Amino acid sequence: MADAKNSNPDNFKGWLYKWTNYIKGYQRRWFVLSNGLLSYYRTQAEMAHTCRGTINLAGAYIDTEDSCNFVISSGAQTFHLKASSEVERQRWVTALELAKAKAIRMMEAASDDEDEVAPAEPDKNDIQNTLRMLNSKLEDLTTCNDLIAKHGAALQRSLSELELIQDAAEASSKIKAVNERATLFRITSNAMINACADYLDLAQTQGRKWQRALQHEREQRIRLEETIELLAKQHNTLERACRGNLTGDNKGNSTSGANEDYSDDDNEFFDAIDESPSFTTTVQLPPSHIKGHRRTDSGASVTSIASSEGAGPKYDDLSSTDDEMSTDRPEQGSVITVKTQGPLPRSGSDHSNLSDASSKDSSKSSQSSSPVQRKGRKRRKKIMEKPNMSLNLWSIMKNCIGKELSKIPMPVNFNEPISMLQRLTEDFEYSEILDRAAQCEDSCEQLAYVSAFTVSSYANTTNRTGKPFNPLLGETYECDRTDDLGWRSIAEQVSHHPPAASLYCESKEWECWQEFTMTSKFRGKYLLIIPQGIAHLKFKKSGNHYTWRKVTSTVHNIIVGKLWVDQSGEMDIYNHRNKDNCHLKYTAYSYFSRDIPRKVTGVVTDVAGTAKYVVSGTWDKKMEAAKILHGGERPSSGGKDKQQIYQTGPPKLMWHRNYPPPGSELMYGMTEMAITLNEIEEGVAPTDSRVRPDQRHMENGLWNEANQVKVQLEEKQRARRRKREADAAAAQQAGKVYEGHKASWFEKKQDPYTKMMIHMYNGKYFECKEQQDWTKCPDIFTT
């Protein structure tokens, strides 16, 4: 049998055997899968004129019977098919499932397109006709309700009379009457059900139509407001220019006046805050406002955002679609879409008030701990591109001959040039979420922000499949970003068997710590990574203390194919101060699921178990939270269990991913922050990951040297371990207690919340750094 032609999954062709009847059995037929339709012909030549049968996969059922047989049924038609081999059958089943999913999406998109036609202005007659139809349906429902009540009462009376009858002959006639009245009741009930369905269908159809019309009117109003605002600014600018020309000032004074007008115009715009309802405004910032400022993923200047918060604008609805406009042409300024509460720009009589308001806002923002007000030192934007070096499996196998499994060195070809300690520190890339959370008065809203922060740590795993370097025992990593992000951290490898790393991070508003351990399970095609440690987060102002455990990571295509990572499982974020809780569910990725890939959903509840916020999104893009206004229950599809349903307010953006810079695929898929992690810094501890020679060689493209040094460092670590084991044996013989390895910057204590023994920061690292006192540090990098 010829193989299926599968160069294009949307147009799949090939020979299959189709069951015809018990006399002829399976017959060879030519099948064509195209545009969600599966058709078959006796020969390829028949494709031009005769189709023997077609099934629309959008509503089809696909089932595999054994290694070669499978069935496709749409209710009206059923194809019993057989492939020449199991591999051939799997190709067809995969193609059919993909085509089915695509057909369903196309069908839904088509229905959505029909619904989303631009609404015309609602005609008065149409509205009256719709109301008349709804009233008519409502009258039908009332009539059916009266009939049901009437027939139900009659049926109840007949049943009561039947219970009192003892004569068999009389009972027979009464049973007949009961059956007649039961039939009438059933007919009336069916009529009621149909009338309810008609009313619901009409109400939903018209509701969607009116909702689209209302949305259209809102968009028209917003466009009109933006146009009026733009005209007002242009009029103001022209008026000032005309005024300047009439004064007859010299060229220098004219230039100065123009600059002042431009600045005043911006100030006037930001001052329109205090009096009228909210509307959408668009702010044009001059280049001087942008230079040197860090940017959010939406392209907005976060320094300008922070400085305006005190005046009242709400930045929860920052647009996330302006990336190209704001980053590709920085010399032209940046566009921010914000929700403000204020009137359109007014004349120049209010400039003094504007300046006062701006200065007050600036003073407020300068006192805030948000990292967006800081300017840090210039950090590198790229690293050396990854060398295009093939992996020689024979050389690896040759090095493994005669060695124990635990001593087989893994080449750096599988790694990325940062350590696991640095990957843990990378969790704080979106620390601004915690800065915003620290300002929340509502603990449930703060918990919603914390949940978004826990999700953000997984964003970079979509395109980062390189394995970080395993830290050596005693290896540390310090990351001091107080100058730009407002936090600093220290991490240390505190145990080697089992591997464990401890991390502590602090800012003015919060502190976070964890001891990270994990277990792994190899399942042939994929590798499960199950984190064991518990992360802690404490806000200094409110005292809210949160703990959570990370979910399971799955690395797919370990043996064959392109590596990709998925996150799945459930996470509970618990507030130990007031018992608030957030339960998050990470949905495992599936090719055939209709759910959004990489979906995360959750609910924030208070101590009484009352739901307060719904959080939703994806761990690779963004997370949103919506406040719950009303809640209730409804039966599930099975009819037994109950599902919670919530009425919420508008969603609020909690977190949005910062995508890697251009060319990141040549730099191990790293983000801008990851690129800075291994940048050389002066004054760090001699055990810092930046000083590790094999990791540095790999970053510099010297992979052969990196492999050699890596083997030497690992052998040196094994020698130190053998020495500790010998010392422990000698101490045991002498009846003494052997403490073993003792971490330099962390002490083993009992966690007061989890009652587990963990390594907690002793608070001495940064003091020793100021004095450059590294006597506690072991010599681990000298080869």
Side-chain angles (χ1 to χ4, degrees):
M1 181 185 297
D3 290 338
K5 299 178 180 179
N6 57 354
S7 59
N8 183 2
D10 296 333
N11 193 13
F12 205 84
K13 302 176 183 179
W15 291 103
L16 290 171
Y17 290 99
K18 178 183 179 294
W19 175 263
T20 55
N21 52 53
Y22 285 98
I23 297 175
K24 295 184 178 181
Y26 284 97
Q27 295 293 315
R28 191 167 181 255
R29 297 290 183 260
W30 179 255
F31 280 81
V32 177
L33 174 60
S34 178
N35 297 325
L37 301 176
L38 179 65
S39 307
Y40 78 93
Y41 311 84
R42 286 187 177 177
T43 62
Q44 297 186 45
E46 277 192 350
M47 291 177 60
H49 52 82
T50 305
C51 177
R52 300 291 176 174
T54 301
I55 286 182
N56 188 344
L57 295 177
Y61 173 77
I62 303 170
D63 185 33
T64 55
E65 295 183 338
D66 54 31
S67 60
C68 296
N69 292 48
F70 58 103
V71 178
I72 306 171
S73 176
S74 64
Q77 287 192 84
T78 302
F79 292 168
H80 293 268
L81 306 176
K82 182 169 69 173
S84 60
S85 65
E86 185 176 358
V87 174
E88 187 73 2
R89 187 215 65 178
Q90 189 58 41
R91 289 179 182 173
W92 273 101
V93 171
T94 302
L96 290 167
E97 292 284 5
L98 292 173
K100 177 183 177 180
K102 185 175 181 180
I104 293 172
R105 289 196 300 269
M106 291 175 62
M107 185 171 63
E108 292 175 347
S111 63
D112 291 340
D113 290 341
E114 291 176 1
D115 291 339
E116 292 174 5
V117 174
E121 280 191 27
D123 188 12
K124 187 176 181 179
N125 293 331
D126 290 341
I127 296 175
Q128 291 178 349
N129 291 335
T130 301
L131 292 176
R132 194 178 301 114
M133 292 171 63
L134 288 171
N135 287 330
S136 174
K137 296 293 183 184
L138 192 58
E139 290 175 359
D140 293 343
L141 288 174
T142 305
T143 303
C144 290
N145 182 59
D146 295 337
L147 289 174
I148 285 177
K150 176 182 176 182
H151 293 307
L155 179 60
Q156 185 65 37
R157 285 196 305 272
S158 298
L159 290 172
S160 300
E161 293 171 359
L162 184 61
E163 290 177 355
L164 299 175
I165 294 175
Q166 298 179 353
D167 185 21
E170 188 179 357
S172 177
S173 62
K174 280 295 181 182
I175 290 174
K176 184 178 180 181
V178 168
N179 288 335
E180 290 176 354
R181 290 180 177 177
T183 302
L184 288 174
F185 184 82
R186 185 173 65 253
I187 293 171
T188 309
S189 300
N190 290 336
M192 180 70 168
I193 292 172
N194 293 333
C196 287
D198 293 341
Y199 183 87
L200 180 63
D201 182 65
L202 179 62
Q204 288 179 341
T205 302
Q206 295 300 324
R208 286 194 296 267
K209 180 179 177 182
W210 290 341
Q211 190 174 10
R212 291 195 301 271
L214 180 60
Q215 182 63 27
H216 180 70
E217 291 298 326
R218 286 175 179 167
E219 294 172 354
Q220 290 287 82
R221 187 198 68 178
I222 290 173
R223 282 195 288 268
L224 180 61
E225 288 175 347
E226 291 175 347
T227 303
I228 294 174
E229 177 190 332
L230 182 61
L231 289 173
K233 290 181 68 176
Q234 291 177 349
H235 177 270
N236 199 9
T237 303
L238 290 173
E239 183 180 1
R240 292 173 183 278
C242 180
R243 229 184 261 143
N245 290 334
L246 291 176
T247 56
D249 291 340
N250 57 39
K251 186 175 181 180
N253 292 337
S254 299
T255 304
S256 174
N259 290 336
E260 290 173 1
D261 291 343
Y262 189 75
S263 176
D264 288 344
D265 187 57
D266 286 343
N267 287 336
E268 181 181 46
F269 175 81
F270 279 104
D271 188 55
I273 292 170
D274 300 303
E275 295 146 6
S276 68
S278 64
F279 62 90
T280 304
T281 59
T282 302
V283 184
Q284 181 72 30
L285 298 180
S288 61
H289 288 194
I290 298 173
K291 184 177 180 182
H293 288 205
R294 190 172 63 84
R295 310 196 66 79
T296 65
D297 49 299
S298 63
S301 172
V302 290
T303 303
S304 301
I305 292 174
S307 63
S308 304
E309 286 182 350
K314 302 190 185 329
Y315 298 94
D316 301 329
D317 299 322
L318 279 173
S319 171
S320 60
T321 58
D322 299 332
D323 298 334
E324 296 179 2
M325 178 172 58
S326 61
T327 56
D328 293 346
R329 297 181 305 234
E331 69 279 0
Q332 297 179 7
S334 174
V335 175
I336 307 175
T337 303
V338 299
K339 289 288 184 181
T340 64
Q341 293 182 348
L344 293 173
R346 295 172 296 189
S347 62
S349 60
D350 298 328
H351 287 178
S352 60
N353 294 334
L354 284 162
S355 302
D356 294 339
S358 300
S359 62
K360 290 178 182 178
D361 297 339
S362 300
S363 63
K364 281 187 179 181
S365 65
S366 64
Q367 298 171 4
S368 172
S369 65
S370 177
V372 295
Q373 295 107 35
R374 304 179 178 87
K375 280 189 178 182
R377 68 177 181 83
K378 186 175 181 181
R379 300 180 185 271
R380 65 182 184 181
K381 297 295 184 181
K382 61 182 180 179
I383 59 174
M384 182 176 291
E385 294 182 358
K386 180 179 180 180
N388 187 16
M389 297 178 63
S390 60
L391 185 61
N392 191 338
L393 293 177
W394 170 243
S395 64
I396 298 175
M397 295 173 64
K398 184 173 61 177
N399 292 333
C400 297
I401 296 174
K403 293 185 178 180
E404 296 180 14
L405 185 61
S406 62
K407 296 183 179 180
I408 296 175
M410 293 301 294
V412 299
N413 304 58
F414 297 105
N415 288 37
E416 58 181 2
I418 60 175
S419 73
M420 190 64 193
L421 300 178
Q422 292 165 312
R423 282 293 290 265
L424 289 176
T425 306
E426 205 174 340
D427 287 355
F428 297 94
E429 177 175 1
Y430 300 97
S431 60
E432 66 268 15
I433 304 175
L434 299 181
D435 295 330
R436 292 199 297 269
Q439 308 304 321
C440 294
E441 299 294 336
D442 182 4
S443 64
C444 290
E445 182 184 8
Q446 184 181 81
L447 183 50
Y449 274 109
V450 174
S451 68
F453 172 76
T454 64
V455 174
S456 69
S457 62
Y458 298 107
N460 298 328
T461 59
T462 54
N463 56 332
R464 294 267 297 281
T465 56
K467 173 184 173 295
F469 278 76
N470 290 331
L472 301 175
L473 183 62
E475 183 174 339
T476 61
Y477 178 70
E478 168 216 332
C479 187
D480 191 345
R481 300 297 293 265
T482 52
D483 58 344
D484 57 348
L485 301 181
W487 55 264
R488 64 183 184 180
S489 69
I490 175 65
E492 181 179 2
Q493 186 75 1
V494 295
S495 175
H496 185 59
H497 286 288
S502 291
L503 178 141
Y504 176 81
C505 183
E506 64 175 352
S507 79
K508 291 183 179 179
E509 301 287 346
W510 48 266
E511 57 181 344
C512 185
W513 66 93
Q514 65 170 312
E515 182 170 290
F516 181 81
T517 59
M518 67 179 187
T519 60
S520 59
K521 297 179 181 178
F522 182 60
R523 301 299 190 190
K525 291 184 179 180
Y526 59 90
L527 176 69
L528 291 176
I529 302 173
I530 307 169
Q532 299 295 321
I534 294 178
H536 295 252
L537 171 65
K538 184 177 181 180
F539 289 95
K540 299 178 180 179
K541 180 180 178 181
S542 64
N544 290 328
H545 188 122
Y546 302 94
T547 58
W548 67 90
R549 192 193 302 272
K550 293 188 173 184
V551 296
T552 300
S553 299
T554 307
V555 184
H556 293 270
N557 296 340
I558 292 292
I559 305 299
V560 178
K562 184 179 180 180
L563 289 175
W564 62 281
V565 181
D566 190 24
Q567 316 294 340
S568 60
E570 297 184 357
M571 174 191 293
D572 281 295
I573 309 169
Y574 185 69
N575 186 346
H576 291 269
R577 188 183 70 86
N578 60 9
K579 314 305 181 186
D580 291 345
N581 187 71
C582 177
H583 182 77
L584 293 179
K585 181 179 180 181
Y586 290 69
T587 304
Y589 180 79
S590 172
Y591 285 109
F592 306 112
S593 173
R594 298 179 64 180
D595 280 337
I596 301 172
R598 306 180 180 95
K599 183 174 72 172
V600 182
T601 55
V603 178
V604 177
T605 56
D606 61 11
V607 62
T610 305
K612 296 295 185 180
Y613 282 86
V614 172
V615 293
S616 61
T618 58
W619 55 261
D620 65 328
K621 290 183 181 177
K622 66 177 181 178
M623 288 295 293
E624 295 177 337
K627 190 172 184 178
I628 295 175
L629 306 178
H630 301 287
E633 293 181 345
R634 67 176 179 188
S636 65
S637 57
K640 296 181 180 180
D641 300 329
K642 292 185 177 181
Q643 297 177 340
Q644 289 288 340
I645 55 174
Y646 302 109
Q647 179 184 353
T648 65
K652 181 178 181 180
L653 186 65
M654 299 279 107
W655 160 73
H656 195 286
R657 178 184 179 185
N658 297 327
Y659 287 93
S664 64
E665 65 278 0
L666 302 177
M667 297 182 290
Y668 309 90
M670 290 186 177
T671 61
E672 288 187 3
M673 179 176 180
I675 290 172
T676 66
L677 291 177
N678 205 43
E679 186 175 6
I680 296 177
E681 291 188 15
E682 300 294 333
V684 297
T687 54
D688 197 280
S689 297
R690 300 177 184 87
V691 189
R692 181 167 174 166
D694 54 346
Q695 187 173 303
R696 182 62 57 188
H697 282 319
M698 183 186 180
E699 183 182 294
N700 294 335
L702 306 174
W703 284 19
N704 292 330
E705 291 83 347
N707 281 319
Q708 294 173 5
V709 175
K710 184 172 182 288
V711 171
Q712 296 172 1
L713 292 177
E714 291 174 350
E715 187 57 41
K716 182 178 179 180
Q717 178 168 246
R718 294 188 191 101
R720 290 198 303 270
R721 182 186 178 189
R722 287 193 295 268
K723 184 179 183 303
R724 286 195 302 272
E725 291 173 350
D727 293 343
Q732 185 177 7
Q733 291 179 357
K736 299 179 180 179
V737 178
Y738 180 72
E739 293 184 356
H741 173 77
K742 192 174 182 180
S744 301
W745 313 112
F746 291 82
E747 296 177 2
K748 200 163 189 178
K749 298 179 180 178
Q750 185 183 48
D751 188 338
Y753 296 95
T754 63
K755 306 305 179 184
M756 299 169 57
M757 295 299 295
I758 65 171
H759 286 82
M760 302 183 71
Y761 179 53
N762 60 19
K764 298 178 181 178
Y765 176 83
F766 292 101
E767 295 178 5
C768 292
K769 182 186 177 183
E770 290 180 1
Q771 302 169 7
Q772 285 297 294
D773 178 12
W774 303 121
T775 54
K776 291 185 176 182
C777 298
D779 178 16
I780 57 175
F781 293 148
T782 303
T783 56

